[in-house]
Amino acid sequence: MTVTVGQHFNAGSMLLSLEAMKMETHVAADRDAEVEAVYVVSGDRVQAKELLVVLRAVEGGVGAEVPAA
C-alpha cells in the first residue's frame, strides 16, 4: 500500500488492495478525492468494517493513481 496523506485520486483510481484467503480485493476511490488520513500500513491485519483510509472530496481530479502492489 502506497497511499499517503495529501495524495489526490480521481474517481475509480485504486487506493489499496486487501488479501484474504488467497483472494485479492481492490479498493477504489468512489469520487475525486484527497487522502486525509491513513490508519493502516502494508501487511496489517484488518477486521471487517475497520476504518482504513479517510478521503476528502475535491473538485476535479488530478489523476494520481496508486500502482497495484
Side-chain angles (χ1 to χ4, degrees), residues 11-67:
S13 295
M14 190 177 84
L15 298 171
L16 53 95
S17 60
L18 300 170
E19 186 179 316
M21 299 175 64
K22 298 185 181 181
M23 297 200 51
E24 194 169 307
T25 302
H26 300 287
V27 178
D30 63 346
R31 60 187 168 271
D32 294 341
E34 177 181 348
V35 178
E36 202 166 82
V38 178
Y39 295 106
V40 293
V41 296
S42 186
D44 278 356
R45 289 179 175 247
V46 297
Q47 300 297 315
K49 299 185 181 184
E50 184 174 344
L51 185 59
L52 308 176
V53 177
V54 174
L55 302 178
R56 181 177 55 82
V58 296
E59 294 289 326
V62 294
E65 186 171 338
V66 174

